[in-house]
Amino acid sequence: MPELHSPSPSNPPATRLPQPSNPPTTRLPWPSLLALSTAGFVTIMTEALPAGVLPAMSADLGVSQSGAGQSVTLYAAGSIAAAIPLTAVTAGWPRKRLLLLSVGGFAAANAVTAVSTNYPLTMAARFAAGLVAGLLWALLAGYARSIVAPEQRGRAMAVAMGGSTVALSVGVPAGTLVAALVGWRTTFGLMSAVAVALAVWMLVALPAVPGRPGHARTPVRQVLRTPGVAAVLTVTVAFVLAHNLLYTYVAALLAPLGLGGRTDTVLLVLGLSSLVSILGTGALIDRHLRTLTIAACALLSAAALSVAAALLTGTSWPVYGSAAVWGLAFGGAATLLQTAVADAAGPAGDIAQSLLVTCWNLGIAGAALAGGLLLDHGGPSTLPWSALALLATALTVTVAAHRHGFPRPTGRPTGHPRSPVPHSR
């Protein structure tokens, strides 16, 4: 069980994490975890699919491609706006019911996007999808951890978070291809149908997990003061900013190297490497979370440095190796950071996850803005050096947070208590 802190005026007695109606067993509940993973897949597909269909989408809606691109911006804005307040308001709701409502929200938002010919209505549907995404991401990690034994929590989260990596590496390119064959509206309609099928799957496969009673809920301010939480959130912002400075503007980075037409190949290498990273993270996270996080920061730094060197020398061949290293760094990052913040926050894990979701989306939005300014005023070579500065911050904080946040190994798997656990009565 995650570390819980002794009672104090600012840290009242802790309670146990919500438990499922059927106690966890020593075997991973694969149907349940794969259902959660599919929810992550649907979330990322809904978020990223417009990027692959912008020309057709903008033509149908009668707006510019930049106007249609705001469908991604509004989705992120919805996630930022919703993650913390909705998670706090619904803390006492049964987790299964809340998860089903979130998936139903995706079904409705994608259905509206598929049939709408009105630009404001389409944007409203995208914002609504972002709202439920912010809530769903905060739910997934806690749900996965609550339905397995303590020593399996890292592996369970790796499975539950794996769907998002599959969506980025395989799903979005496949969705773009399907959209080219049958139209972007049909593709969004198919995503709505997948969400409906997923809701039925969850209804059957997921055990019931209760919400937290009112007296056990922890205010956001107090969660932020919990040792380790601020460190994990700082690493999250720095790491996601660095990744997205490179990822959002990868085409601009490749163009000076004569690889402008190979962006899809580079991203495929990155995606496949990310899948390898997810598998490795799942196998090692329960005992080596700190080491894996340090390795992720170091590997992404190496990839950024390699890209910077390629831009300086005009040599293109190292880029594919850089993409492979980049994927190894990024594929398991979400699982590592969500596990770290859940361990640090203990029973207030849902609130901590909502803070992490907010920081993650702020990193995405901030990278898009900062990267555009860097590109306009300094050129592509400024992007990897800026990413390196951010990664130095992430690595420094990770190494320094050796007591809380990213603690040194104690010989016990992640998720085991490191001190006696007080219980409220």
Side-chain angles (χ1 to χ4, degrees), residues 308-356:
L311 289 169
L312 281 175
T313 62
T315 308
S316 61
W317 63 264
V319 168
Y320 295 101
S322 301
V325 173
W326 183 359
L328 289 176
F330 185 73
T335 302
L336 294 171
L337 294 168
Q338 287 182 296
T339 300
V341 83
D343 283 351
D350 281 358
I351 297 296
Q353 293 295 338
S354 71
L355 291 168
L356 188 139

mmCIF file of all heavy atoms in Angstrom, residues 308-356:
data_model
loop_
_atom_site.group_PDB
_atom_site.id
_atom_site.type_symbol
_atom_site.label_atom_id
_atom_site.label_comp_id
_atom_site.label_asym_id
_atom_site.label_seq_id
_atom_site.Cartn_x
_atom_site.Cartn_y
_atom_site.Cartn_z
ATOM 1 N N ALA A 308 20.116 17.582 -31.751
ATOM 2 C CA ALA A 308 20.821 18.860 -31.805
ATOM 3 C C ALA A 308 22.117 18.720 -32.593
ATOM 4 O O ALA A 308 22.463 19.585 -33.417
ATOM 5 C CB ALA A 308 21.103 19.360 -30.388
ATOM 6 N N ALA A 309 22.840 17.630 -32.359
ATOM 7 C CA ALA A 309 24.092 17.391 -33.082
ATOM 8 C C ALA A 309 23.832 17.180 -34.568
ATOM 9 O O ALA A 309 24.591 17.668 -35.419
ATOM 10 C CB ALA A 309 24.806 16.187 -32.487
ATOM 11 N N ALA A 310 22.754 16.458 -34.893
ATOM 12 C CA ALA A 310 22.424 16.237 -36.297
ATOM 13 C C ALA A 310 22.133 17.545 -37.008
ATOM 14 O O ALA A 310 22.552 17.761 -38.158
ATOM 15 C CB ALA A 310 21.226 15.288 -36.396
ATOM 16 N N LEU A 311 21.438 18.456 -36.323
ATOM 17 C CA LEU A 311 21.131 19.759 -36.924
ATOM 18 C C LEU A 311 22.397 20.596 -37.105
ATOM 19 O O LEU A 311 22.514 21.349 -38.072
ATOM 20 C CB LEU A 311 20.118 20.506 -36.055
ATOM 21 C CG LEU A 311 18.689 19.948 -36.069
ATOM 22 C CD1 LEU A 311 17.847 20.591 -34.980
ATOM 23 C CD2 LEU A 311 18.037 20.174 -37.439
ATOM 24 N N LEU A 312 23.337 20.462 -36.171
ATOM 25 C CA LEU A 312 24.588 21.210 -36.289
ATOM 26 C C LEU A 312 25.443 20.710 -37.447
ATOM 27 O O LEU A 312 26.076 21.501 -38.165
ATOM 28 C CB LEU A 312 25.384 21.098 -34.983
ATOM 29 C CG LEU A 312 24.941 21.985 -33.817
ATOM 30 C CD1 LEU A 312 25.752 21.654 -32.565
ATOM 31 C CD2 LEU A 312 25.107 23.464 -34.173
ATOM 32 N N THR A 313 25.473 19.404 -37.635
ATOM 33 C CA THR A 313 26.343 18.806 -38.657
ATOM 34 C C THR A 313 25.636 18.557 -39.983
ATOM 35 O O THR A 313 26.284 18.275 -40.987
ATOM 36 C CB THR A 313 26.907 17.475 -38.148
ATOM 37 O OG1 THR A 313 25.816 16.556 -37.912
ATOM 38 C CG2 THR A 313 27.688 17.672 -36.851
ATOM 39 N N GLY A 314 24.300 18.625 -39.987
ATOM 40 C CA GLY A 314 23.536 18.331 -41.190
ATOM 41 C C GLY A 314 23.506 16.858 -41.532
ATOM 42 O O GLY A 314 23.223 16.479 -42.672
ATOM 43 N N THR A 315 23.784 16.001 -40.549
ATOM 44 C CA THR A 315 23.793 14.548 -40.754
ATOM 45 C C THR A 315 22.442 13.959 -40.375
ATOM 46 O O THR A 315 21.989 14.124 -39.240
ATOM 47 C CB THR A 315 24.894 13.885 -39.900
ATOM 48 O OG1 THR A 315 26.133 14.550 -40.157
ATOM 49 C CG2 THR A 315 25.017 12.410 -40.226
ATOM 50 N N SER A 316 21.810 13.256 -41.292
ATOM 51 C CA SER A 316 20.447 12.796 -41.048
ATOM 52 C C SER A 316 20.358 11.382 -40.476
ATOM 53 O O SER A 316 19.381 11.045 -39.805
ATOM 54 C CB SER A 316 19.631 12.851 -42.346
ATOM 55 O OG SER A 316 20.199 12.001 -43.326
ATOM 56 N N TRP A 317 21.376 10.536 -40.720
ATOM 57 C CA TRP A 317 21.216 9.119 -40.369
ATOM 58 C C TRP A 317 21.024 8.860 -38.875
ATOM 59 O O TRP A 317 20.362 7.889 -38.508
ATOM 60 C CB TRP A 317 22.389 8.295 -40.919
ATOM 61 C CG TRP A 317 23.739 8.643 -40.359
ATOM 62 C CD1 TRP A 317 24.664 9.473 -40.909
ATOM 63 C CD2 TRP A 317 24.323 8.154 -39.145
ATOM 64 N NE1 TRP A 317 25.781 9.561 -40.132
ATOM 65 C CE2 TRP A 317 25.607 8.745 -39.031
ATOM 66 C CE3 TRP A 317 23.912 7.282 -38.149
ATOM 67 C CZ2 TRP A 317 26.454 8.504 -37.967
ATOM 68 C CZ3 TRP A 317 24.757 7.023 -37.088
ATOM 69 C CH2 TRP A 317 26.006 7.624 -36.993
ATOM 70 N N PRO A 318 21.564 9.693 -37.930
ATOM 71 C CA PRO A 318 21.345 9.374 -36.517
ATOM 72 C C PRO A 318 19.905 9.584 -36.050
ATOM 73 O O PRO A 318 19.552 9.152 -34.946
ATOM 74 C CB PRO A 318 22.283 10.336 -35.776
ATOM 75 C CG PRO A 318 23.252 10.831 -36.793
ATOM 76 C CD PRO A 318 22.493 10.830 -38.079
ATOM 77 N N VAL A 319 19.082 10.232 -36.882
ATOM 78 C CA VAL A 319 17.741 10.599 -36.431
ATOM 79 C C VAL A 319 16.903 9.374 -36.099
ATOM 80 O O VAL A 319 16.147 9.370 -35.119
ATOM 81 C CB VAL A 319 17.042 11.468 -37.497
ATOM 82 C CG1 VAL A 319 15.551 11.626 -37.186
ATOM 83 C CG2 VAL A 319 17.717 12.830 -37.572
ATOM 84 N N TYR A 320 17.044 8.305 -36.879
ATOM 85 C CA TYR A 320 16.233 7.117 -36.620
ATOM 86 C C TYR A 320 16.627 6.468 -35.293
ATOM 87 O O TYR A 320 15.772 6.004 -34.529
ATOM 88 C CB TYR A 320 16.367 6.127 -37.776
ATOM 89 C CG TYR A 320 15.810 6.663 -39.074
ATOM 90 C CD1 TYR A 320 16.664 7.177 -40.061
ATOM 91 C CD2 TYR A 320 14.443 6.685 -39.301
ATOM 92 C CE1 TYR A 320 16.154 7.687 -41.247
ATOM 93 C CE2 TYR A 320 13.926 7.194 -40.484
ATOM 94 C CZ TYR A 320 14.781 7.698 -41.446
ATOM 95 O OH TYR A 320 14.264 8.211 -42.608
ATOM 96 N N GLY A 321 17.918 6.443 -35.004
ATOM 97 C CA GLY A 321 18.350 5.944 -33.702
ATOM 98 C C GLY A 321 17.857 6.828 -32.577
ATOM 99 O O GLY A 321 17.455 6.341 -31.506
ATOM 100 N N SER A 322 17.865 8.152 -32.819
ATOM 101 C CA SER A 322 17.352 9.085 -31.821
ATOM 102 C C SER A 322 15.876 8.831 -31.547
ATOM 103 O O SER A 322 15.415 8.888 -30.394
ATOM 104 C CB SER A 322 17.536 10.528 -32.304
ATOM 105 O OG SER A 322 18.892 10.816 -32.546
ATOM 106 N N ALA A 323 15.119 8.535 -32.608
ATOM 107 C CA ALA A 323 13.692 8.262 -32.443
ATOM 108 C C ALA A 323 13.462 7.002 -31.614
ATOM 109 O O ALA A 323 12.549 6.944 -30.778
ATOM 110 C CB ALA A 323 13.017 8.127 -33.806
ATOM 111 N N ALA A 324 14.302 5.985 -31.835
ATOM 112 C CA ALA A 324 14.175 4.746 -31.057
ATOM 113 C C ALA A 324 14.463 4.998 -29.580
ATOM 114 O O ALA A 324 13.743 4.517 -28.692
ATOM 115 C CB ALA A 324 15.111 3.681 -31.615
ATOM 116 N N VAL A 325 15.525 5.763 -29.292
ATOM 117 C CA VAL A 325 15.858 6.099 -27.898
ATOM 118 C C VAL A 325 14.753 6.957 -27.285
ATOM 119 O O VAL A 325 14.383 6.782 -26.119
ATOM 120 C CB VAL A 325 17.225 6.822 -27.850
ATOM 121 C CG1 VAL A 325 17.514 7.334 -26.442
ATOM 122 C CG2 VAL A 325 18.329 5.884 -28.313
ATOM 123 N N TRP A 326 14.249 7.883 -28.053
ATOM 124 C CA TRP A 326 13.147 8.751 -27.626
ATOM 125 C C TRP A 326 11.930 7.919 -27.217
ATOM 126 O O TRP A 326 11.327 8.141 -26.162
ATOM 127 C CB TRP A 326 12.828 9.690 -28.779
ATOM 128 C CG TRP A 326 11.775 10.721 -28.574
ATOM 129 C CD1 TRP A 326 11.012 10.942 -27.462
ATOM 130 C CD2 TRP A 326 11.361 11.693 -29.535
ATOM 131 N NE1 TRP A 326 10.153 11.994 -27.673
ATOM 132 C CE2 TRP A 326 10.346 12.472 -28.940
ATOM 133 C CE3 TRP A 326 11.738 11.969 -30.850
ATOM 134 C CZ2 TRP A 326 9.713 13.519 -29.619
ATOM 135 C CZ3 TRP A 326 11.121 13.009 -31.520
ATOM 136 C CH2 TRP A 326 10.115 13.781 -30.900
ATOM 137 N N GLY A 327 11.579 6.939 -28.029
ATOM 138 C CA GLY A 327 10.444 6.080 -27.697
ATOM 139 C C GLY A 327 10.664 5.296 -26.417
ATOM 140 O O GLY A 327 9.744 5.135 -25.594
ATOM 141 N N LEU A 328 11.890 4.792 -26.221
ATOM 142 C CA LEU A 328 12.205 4.068 -24.981
ATOM 143 C C LEU A 328 12.031 4.980 -23.774
ATOM 144 O O LEU A 328 11.605 4.541 -22.698
ATOM 145 C CB LEU A 328 13.634 3.541 -25.028
ATOM 146 C CG LEU A 328 13.906 2.384 -25.992
ATOM 147 C CD1 LEU A 328 15.393 2.042 -26.001
ATOM 148 C CD2 LEU A 328 13.082 1.153 -25.624
ATOM 149 N N ALA A 329 12.369 6.258 -23.935
ATOM 150 C CA ALA A 329 12.234 7.210 -22.830
ATOM 151 C C ALA A 329 10.779 7.549 -22.546
ATOM 152 O O ALA A 329 10.364 7.634 -21.384
ATOM 153 C CB ALA A 329 12.997 8.491 -23.168
ATOM 154 N N PHE A 330 9.981 7.713 -23.596
ATOM 155 C CA PHE A 330 8.642 8.268 -23.414
ATOM 156 C C PHE A 330 7.558 7.213 -23.195
ATOM 157 O O PHE A 330 6.556 7.485 -22.523
ATOM 158 C CB PHE A 330 8.260 9.132 -24.621
ATOM 159 C CG PHE A 330 6.936 9.822 -24.446
ATOM 160 C CD1 PHE A 330 6.821 10.895 -23.577
ATOM 161 C CD2 PHE A 330 5.812 9.396 -25.136
ATOM 162 C CE1 PHE A 330 5.590 11.530 -23.393
ATOM 163 C CE2 PHE A 330 4.590 10.015 -24.955
ATOM 164 C CZ PHE A 330 4.476 11.088 -24.088
ATOM 165 N N GLY A 331 7.736 6.017 -23.751
ATOM 166 C CA GLY A 331 6.647 5.040 -23.726
ATOM 167 C C GLY A 331 6.098 4.741 -22.349
ATOM 168 O O GLY A 331 4.881 4.659 -22.154
ATOM 169 N N GLY A 332 6.968 4.581 -21.362
ATOM 170 C CA GLY A 332 6.512 4.254 -20.020
ATOM 171 C C GLY A 332 6.385 5.445 -19.099
ATOM 172 O O GLY A 332 6.068 5.284 -17.907
ATOM 173 N N ALA A 333 6.594 6.660 -19.610
ATOM 174 C CA ALA A 333 6.648 7.845 -18.749
ATOM 175 C C ALA A 333 5.343 8.088 -18.002
ATOM 176 O O ALA A 333 5.348 8.393 -16.802
ATOM 177 C CB ALA A 333 7.023 9.071 -19.577
ATOM 178 N N ALA A 334 4.217 7.975 -18.693
ATOM 179 C CA ALA A 334 2.935 8.227 -18.028
ATOM 180 C C ALA A 334 2.725 7.263 -16.872
ATOM 181 O O ALA A 334 2.295 7.652 -15.778
ATOM 182 C CB ALA A 334 1.797 8.111 -19.038
ATOM 183 N N THR A 335 3.046 5.987 -17.082
ATOM 184 C CA THR A 335 2.896 4.992 -16.019
ATOM 185 C C THR A 335 3.819 5.299 -14.850
ATOM 186 O O THR A 335 3.411 5.204 -13.679
ATOM 187 C CB THR A 335 3.201 3.592 -16.571
ATOM 188 O OG1 THR A 335 2.315 3.319 -17.651
ATOM 189 C CG2 THR A 335 3.014 2.530 -15.497
ATOM 190 N N LEU A 336 5.055 5.668 -15.128
ATOM 191 C CA LEU A 336 6.011 5.983 -14.065
ATOM 192 C C LEU A 336 5.532 7.155 -13.226
ATOM 193 O O LEU A 336 5.537 7.105 -11.985
ATOM 194 C CB LEU A 336 7.380 6.302 -14.669
ATOM 195 C CG LEU A 336 8.105 5.156 -15.379
ATOM 196 C CD1 LEU A 336 9.331 5.691 -16.117
ATOM 197 C CD2 LEU A 336 8.505 4.077 -14.385
ATOM 198 N N LEU A 337 5.111 8.220 -13.885
ATOM 199 C CA LEU A 337 4.721 9.430 -13.167
ATOM 200 C C LEU A 337 3.410 9.237 -12.416
ATOM 201 O O LEU A 337 3.249 9.720 -11.285
ATOM 202 C CB LEU A 337 4.628 10.602 -14.143
ATOM 203 C CG LEU A 337 5.974 11.003 -14.767
ATOM 204 C CD1 LEU A 337 5.779 11.950 -15.934
ATOM 205 C CD2 LEU A 337 6.895 11.622 -13.721
ATOM 206 N N GLN A 338 2.457 8.517 -13.011
ATOM 207 C CA GLN A 338 1.193 8.273 -12.323
ATOM 208 C C GLN A 338 1.390 7.350 -11.115
ATOM 209 O O GLN A 338 0.751 7.530 -10.082
ATOM 210 C CB GLN A 338 0.170 7.687 -13.296
ATOM 211 C CG GLN A 338 -0.343 8.724 -14.280
ATOM 212 C CD GLN A 338 -1.407 8.156 -15.214
ATOM 213 O OE1 GLN A 338 -1.137 7.271 -16.003
ATOM 214 N NE2 GLN A 338 -2.609 8.669 -15.109
ATOM 215 N N THR A 339 2.277 6.373 -11.253
ATOM 216 C CA THR A 339 2.574 5.510 -10.117
ATOM 217 C C THR A 339 3.252 6.298 -9.005
ATOM 218 O O THR A 339 2.909 6.153 -7.826
ATOM 219 C CB THR A 339 3.474 4.343 -10.550
ATOM 220 O OG1 THR A 339 2.809 3.573 -11.552
ATOM 221 C CG2 THR A 339 3.801 3.432 -9.380
ATOM 222 N N ALA A 340 4.201 7.151 -9.369
ATOM 223 C CA ALA A 340 4.923 7.936 -8.369
ATOM 224 C C ALA A 340 3.980 8.862 -7.604
ATOM 225 O O ALA A 340 4.052 8.957 -6.371
ATOM 226 C CB ALA A 340 6.033 8.745 -9.046
ATOM 227 N N VAL A 341 3.090 9.542 -8.314
ATOM 228 C CA VAL A 341 2.199 10.476 -7.623
ATOM 229 C C VAL A 341 1.161 9.722 -6.799
ATOM 230 O O VAL A 341 0.755 10.179 -5.714
ATOM 231 C CB VAL A 341 1.537 11.452 -8.626
ATOM 232 C CG1 VAL A 341 0.302 10.852 -9.296
ATOM 233 C CG2 VAL A 341 1.166 12.759 -7.944
ATOM 234 N N ALA A 342 0.730 8.544 -7.258
ATOM 235 C CA ALA A 342 -0.206 7.740 -6.478
ATOM 236 C C ALA A 342 0.437 7.230 -5.200
ATOM 237 O O ALA A 342 -0.172 7.247 -4.124
ATOM 238 C CB ALA A 342 -0.728 6.565 -7.319
ATOM 239 N N ASP A 343 1.688 6.775 -5.286
ATOM 240 C CA ASP A 343 2.405 6.316 -4.096
ATOM 241 C C ASP A 343 2.584 7.455 -3.096
ATOM 242 O O ASP A 343 2.432 7.274 -1.887
ATOM 243 C CB ASP A 343 3.773 5.762 -4.480
ATOM 244 C CG ASP A 343 3.691 4.367 -5.090
ATOM 245 O OD1 ASP A 343 2.608 3.774 -5.056
ATOM 246 O OD2 ASP A 343 4.717 3.879 -5.598
ATOM 247 N N ALA A 344 2.933 8.640 -3.606
ATOM 248 C CA ALA A 344 3.161 9.778 -2.716
ATOM 249 C C ALA A 344 1.876 10.240 -2.046
ATOM 250 O O ALA A 344 1.873 10.580 -0.860
ATOM 251 C CB ALA A 344 3.789 10.933 -3.501
ATOM 252 N N ALA A 345 0.767 10.252 -2.788
ATOM 253 C CA ALA A 345 -0.494 10.800 -2.270
ATOM 254 C C ALA A 345 -1.269 9.819 -1.418
ATOM 255 O O ALA A 345 -2.144 10.223 -0.653
ATOM 256 C CB ALA A 345 -1.360 11.282 -3.429
ATOM 257 N N GLY A 346 -1.002 8.510 -1.551
ATOM 258 C CA GLY A 346 -1.732 7.520 -0.749
ATOM 259 C C GLY A 346 -3.220 7.528 -1.061
ATOM 260 O O GLY A 346 -3.621 7.481 -2.222
ATOM 261 N N PRO A 347 -4.075 7.629 -0.038
ATOM 262 C CA PRO A 347 -5.521 7.540 -0.263
ATOM 263 C C PRO A 347 -6.096 8.722 -1.031
ATOM 264 O O PRO A 347 -7.229 8.659 -1.483
ATOM 265 C CB PRO A 347 -6.097 7.461 1.153
ATOM 266 C CG PRO A 347 -5.056 8.061 2.023
ATOM 267 C CD PRO A 347 -3.747 7.715 1.390
ATOM 268 N N ALA A 348 -5.344 9.806 -1.183
ATOM 269 C CA ALA A 348 -5.810 10.945 -1.976
ATOM 270 C C ALA A 348 -5.349 10.814 -3.423
ATOM 271 O O ALA A 348 -5.175 11.804 -4.126
ATOM 272 C CB ALA A 348 -5.294 12.250 -1.378
ATOM 273 N N GLY A 349 -5.170 9.580 -3.876
ATOM 274 C CA GLY A 349 -4.608 9.341 -5.200
ATOM 275 C C GLY A 349 -5.403 9.932 -6.341
ATOM 276 O O GLY A 349 -4.826 10.432 -7.309
ATOM 277 N N ASP A 350 -6.738 9.891 -6.274
ATOM 278 C CA ASP A 350 -7.552 10.428 -7.374
ATOM 279 C C ASP A 350 -7.309 11.926 -7.561
ATOM 280 O O ASP A 350 -7.209 12.418 -8.689
ATOM 281 C CB ASP A 350 -9.033 10.162 -7.122
ATOM 282 C CG ASP A 350 -9.421 8.735 -7.471
ATOM 283 O OD1 ASP A 350 -8.552 7.978 -7.944
ATOM 284 O OD2 ASP A 350 -10.600 8.378 -7.259
ATOM 285 N N ILE A 351 -7.244 12.664 -6.437
ATOM 286 C CA ILE A 351 -6.975 14.100 -6.536
ATOM 287 C C ILE A 351 -5.581 14.337 -7.098
ATOM 288 O O ILE A 351 -5.375 15.203 -7.956
ATOM 289 C CB ILE A 351 -7.115 14.769 -5.154
ATOM 290 C CG1 ILE A 351 -8.557 14.640 -4.636
ATOM 291 C CG2 ILE A 351 -6.718 16.240 -5.234
ATOM 292 C CD1 ILE A 351 -9.582 15.351 -5.466
ATOM 293 N N ALA A 352 -4.613 13.551 -6.626
ATOM 294 C CA ALA A 352 -3.248 13.692 -7.143
ATOM 295 C C ALA A 352 -3.193 13.392 -8.634
ATOM 296 O O ALA A 352 -2.489 14.068 -9.394
ATOM 297 C CB ALA A 352 -2.302 12.765 -6.375
ATOM 298 N N GLN A 353 -3.943 12.379 -9.079
ATOM 299 C CA GLN A 353 -3.968 12.056 -10.512
ATOM 300 C C GLN A 353 -4.573 13.209 -11.311
ATOM 301 O O GLN A 353 -4.125 13.514 -12.421
ATOM 302 C CB GLN A 353 -4.781 10.781 -10.751
ATOM 303 C CG GLN A 353 -4.172 9.517 -10.176
ATOM 304 C CD GLN A 353 -2.859 9.122 -10.821
ATOM 305 O OE1 GLN A 353 -2.563 9.524 -11.934
ATOM 306 N NE2 GLN A 353 -2.073 8.341 -10.105
ATOM 307 N N SER A 354 -5.595 13.859 -10.764
ATOM 308 C CA SER A 354 -6.197 14.991 -11.479
ATOM 309 C C SER A 354 -5.201 16.139 -11.605
ATOM 310 O O SER A 354 -5.178 16.840 -12.621
ATOM 311 C CB SER A 354 -7.472 15.453 -10.767
ATOM 312 O OG SER A 354 -7.189 16.095 -9.537
ATOM 313 N N LEU A 355 -4.385 16.350 -10.569
ATOM 314 C CA LEU A 355 -3.335 17.365 -10.658
ATOM 315 C C LEU A 355 -2.321 16.997 -11.730
ATOM 316 O O LEU A 355 -1.868 17.856 -12.501
ATOM 317 C CB LEU A 355 -2.639 17.500 -9.304
ATOM 318 C CG LEU A 355 -3.468 18.122 -8.173
ATOM 319 C CD1 LEU A 355 -2.769 17.920 -6.828
ATOM 320 C CD2 LEU A 355 -3.686 19.610 -8.426
ATOM 321 N N LEU A 356 -1.959 15.718 -11.801
ATOM 322 C CA LEU A 356 -1.003 15.280 -12.809
ATOM 323 C C LEU A 356 -1.574 15.436 -14.218
ATOM 324 O O LEU A 356 -0.877 15.863 -15.139
ATOM 325 C CB LEU A 356 -0.587 13.835 -12.546
ATOM 326 C CG LEU A 356 0.566 13.312 -13.424
ATOM 327 C CD1 LEU A 356 1.532 12.475 -12.600
ATOM 328 C CD2 LEU A 356 0.040 12.480 -14.586
#
